[in-house]
Amino acid sequence: MIRVCFTQNLQRHVACPEVEVDGQTNATLRDTLNTVFNDYPKLRSYVVDDQGELRTHMTIFIDNEPILDRVGLTDATPDGSEVYVMQALSGG
Amino acid sequence: MSDRILAATRKGLFIVTRQSSGDWKVDSAHFVGDHVPMAVHDPRDGALYAGVHHEHFGDKMHRSRDGGATWDEVGTPTYPEKPADRPDDLCPMRQIPIPWTTKLIWELTVGGGDQPGRLWCGTIPGGLFKSDDAGDSWELVRSLWDDPARAKWMGGGFDFPGLHSVFVDPRNSKRVVTAVSCGGVWISEDDGASWKCEGTGIRADYAPPETAYDPQTQDVHRLAACRANPAVMWAQHHNGIFRTADGGANWTENESDDPPSRFGFAVAAHPHDDQTAWFVPAIKDEHRVPVAGRFVVTRTRDGGKSFDTLTDGLPGEHAYDLVFRHGLDVDTTGERLTTGSTTGSLWVSENAGDQWRCVTSHLPPIYTVRFA
């Protein structure tokens, strides 16, 4: 399973509980997030922009490491990993 | 006669109402803490709309059908997927890509009385959107977005171009006028299916002399039209004040020395008298504060030939209030005016600007005021 957690600050605007996603072979961050967004469709636009890129002032950690591909979201999310969707401290 | 004002601010939306005593007061606060750049009232069904800008989470649209007691998030104007084989649109001034994503909801206008549910939304980076279901869903107006002339559009104040004014002709809802900073005045006669850039006579002194009159690069800060005679429109432009009397084809620059400054952002057009409009002047370009720290509103009643400087009830010294482009509004009678400033001051006039009253000077920075 992959555990996905969202910043508490998002809870004020949109439902985004901590969820567990079935681990898939070669799953990318985009695959994992899409699985969550399918269950919480309003959440999508809070995390990614119109082109599906991570919003400018958001950041995501996979197993405590910030992701490298903010555009394609191709960072691997192996089975057992933990994904934290956070606010960057930039953005006010 | 309007008894209610929406004040959209850096830290929330505030509803201001006129009391039976004649005083105005802040009645309720909404989205407190969140940036609300834009709000509008739909007189056709009473709904309120608010664009909310979250620095981290993007822009969202909210609608209230009960006067603001409750709000629902509705659809957000969203750009379609940029085709992989389409080259980036580059800002001509800085050669940086114009994003295909909503950066700011910058204008909301309701459609005509014969178009229930129609809303228009202008955005940064320049896309115009329309909704035919009261904001539940939005569609990018591709005819404007795909016009090759958009390649000339550039940011003015913001990093990217912004479509900030939409006027729907009360006599013919299919005639829509928009203005872009910086991208000039665009007019559709067919409900947005096609567009033509107009603006002969509008001048940009920030461009090389040979291109100063190019209508497609003009930094119109705000456009307003006379509802009784929509052939007359006013533009508060980066370089000054312009007026058209032929629906937008030809514009005349105000060359009066009356106003303290020809620079400003906001303009309000009298709904019935096509000779009358109001402006809020400031020192141009990098200063952007009232001239000599004296906050005034100016009014012309002769089509822009001369201007009155209105001061009664407005702060006369050490006032550094700036009014942004959506920070001035007139009601349907032409008698009531309101203006809101970057320092959180809100004023109301009930006699066409002759006298003003300060409602509050403690709001967050105000972006938009609208009678509702």
Side-chain angles (χ1 to χ4, degrees):
Chain A
M1 303 295 282
I2 302 164
R3 193 159 74 99
V4 185
C5 306
F6 296 89
T7 170
Q8 284 289 320
N9 292 325
L10 255 175
Q11 314 284 341
R12 183 162 73 90
H13 305 291
V14 64
C16 51
E18 179 181 319
V19 294
E20 290 200 332
V21 175
D22 285 339
Q24 305 286 334
T25 305
N26 299 324
T28 66
L29 176 60
R30 186 173 297 285
D31 299 329
T32 299
L33 288 177
N34 280 340
T35 301
V36 179
F37 295 154
N38 286 339
D39 289 338
Y40 299 92
K42 278 202 165 179
L43 178 58
R44 179 186 300 272
S45 78
Y46 283 81
V47 178
V48 298
D49 68 13
D50 303 15
Q51 301 303 310
E53 301 175 12
L54 187 62
R55 288 198 172 278
T56 302
H57 297 297
M58 295 294 282
T59 189
I60 297 179
F61 293 83
I62 301 172
D63 290 336
N64 300 318
E65 293 293 330
I67 64 166
L68 300 178
D69 182 6
R70 299 175 57 91
V71 174
L73 306 181
T74 57
D75 293 58
T77 51
D79 194 20
S81 58
E82 289 185 329
V83 175
Y84 279 86
V85 179
M86 316 287 287
Q87 290 170 285
L89 286 179
S90 58
Chain B
M1 199 76 81
S2 299
D3 290 334
R4 187 173 59 163
I5 297 166
L6 306 178
T9 81
R10 180 69 180 81
K11 293 289 181 181
L13 172 70
F14 302 88
I15 297 181
V16 178
T17 57
R18 190 177 193 273
Q19 311 298 295
S20 54
S21 63
D23 294 330
W24 294 76
K25 65 170 263 203
V26 179
D27 228 15
S28 58
H30 312 264
F31 311 105
V32 173
D34 294 327
H35 177 171
V36 184
M38 178 51 55
V40 73
H41 166 245
D42 187 343
R44 300 170 302 180
D45 62 6
L48 303 177
Y49 296 86
V52 179
H53 174 76
H54 303 288
E55 294 289 346
H56 296 87
F57 311 130
D59 285 65
K60 314 296 174 206
M61 192 77 76
H62 296 260
R63 179 180 65 208
S64 175
R65 293 202 182 280
D66 53 14
T70 60
W71 294 84
D72 294 315
E73 184 182 327
V74 291
T76 296
T78 302
Y79 287 71
E81 184 176 358
K82 179 175 175 288
D85 58 353
R86 178 158 167 164
D88 283 335
D89 312 311
L90 299 176
C91 173
M93 285 286 195
R94 296 178 299 138
Q95 299 299 310
I96 60 170
I98 307 290
W100 285 46
T101 193
T102 297
K103 292 291 187 182
L104 192 70
I105 292 171
W106 218 23
E107 168 72 320
L108 277 172
T109 300
V110 304
D114 57 341
Q115 299 172 313
R118 166 63 63 83
L119 301 169
W120 296 93
C121 178
T123 66
I124 294 174
L128 174 67
F129 290 81
K130 70 178 181 181
S131 171
D132 282 311
D133 54 13
D136 288 333
S137 64
W138 296 87
E139 179 186 0
L140 177 66
V141 177
R142 293 300 296 254
S143 51
L144 189 56
W145 184 249
D146 293 333
D147 193 301
R150 192 172 61 81
K152 292 185 177 180
W153 294 10
M154 55 197 162
F158 286 91
D159 285 348
F160 304 112
L163 196 151
H164 50 67
S165 297
V166 179
F167 175 75
V168 178
D169 192 323
R171 304 165 308 180
N172 171 13
S173 302
K174 294 185 184 307
R175 186 168 198 274
V176 181
V177 183
T178 71
V180 178
S181 179
C182 308
V185 177
W186 291 77
I187 300 175
S188 174
E189 305 285 353
D190 53 12
D191 202 27
S194 63
W195 297 86
K196 186 177 180 188
C197 184
E198 299 274 21
T200 300
I202 305 181
R203 176 183 61 87
D205 68 7
Y206 48 81
E210 291 77 11
T211 62
Y213 287 90
D214 182 349
Q216 295 166 355
T217 60
Q218 298 299 325
D219 186 10
V220 176
H221 283 176
R222 179 71 170 152
L223 179 143
C226 175
R227 293 188 65 79
N229 180 14
V232 169
M233 296 188 285
W234 303 82
Q236 173 64 69
H237 181 279
H238 191 90
N239 289 137
I241 293 167
F242 296 81
R243 180 178 184 267
T244 177
D246 63 5
N250 296 285
W251 296 73
T252 303
E253 184 171 3
N254 158 57
E255 294 180 324
S256 158
D257 289 327
D258 286 345
S261 165
R262 295 175 197 161
F263 180 87
F265 291 97
V267 52
H270 196 290
H272 312 303
D273 175 3
D274 63 16
Q275 301 293 302
T276 296
W278 296 264
F279 303 84
V280 188
I283 303 174
K284 70 178 299 187
D285 292 346
E286 71 273 22
H287 293 288
R288 303 187 181 199
V289 292
V291 178
R294 182 169 172 247
F295 182 78
V296 303
V297 174
T298 58
R299 176 183 62 200
T300 177
R301 291 191 285 194
D302 56 10
K305 296 184 185 67
S306 64
F307 286 77
D308 307 319
T309 298
L310 309 171
T311 62
D312 191 344
L314 299 174
E317 61 179 5
H318 290 298
Y320 301 100
D321 298 77
L322 181 68
V323 170
F324 282 150
R325 68 198 74 221
H326 302 106
L328 172 69
D329 197 25
V330 59
D331 81 344
T332 55
T333 69
E335 289 297 308
R336 288 187 177 172
L337 290 157
T338 183
T339 188
S341 78
T342 53
T343 47
S345 299
L346 181 75
W347 293 274
V348 172
S349 171
E350 297 190 351
N351 51 12
D354 287 336
Q355 295 163 307
W356 295 83
R357 277 183 287 176
C358 182
V359 177
T360 174
S361 52
H362 302 293
L363 290 180
I366 297 171
Y367 295 123
T368 298
V369 292
R370 291 240 166 112
F371 283 104

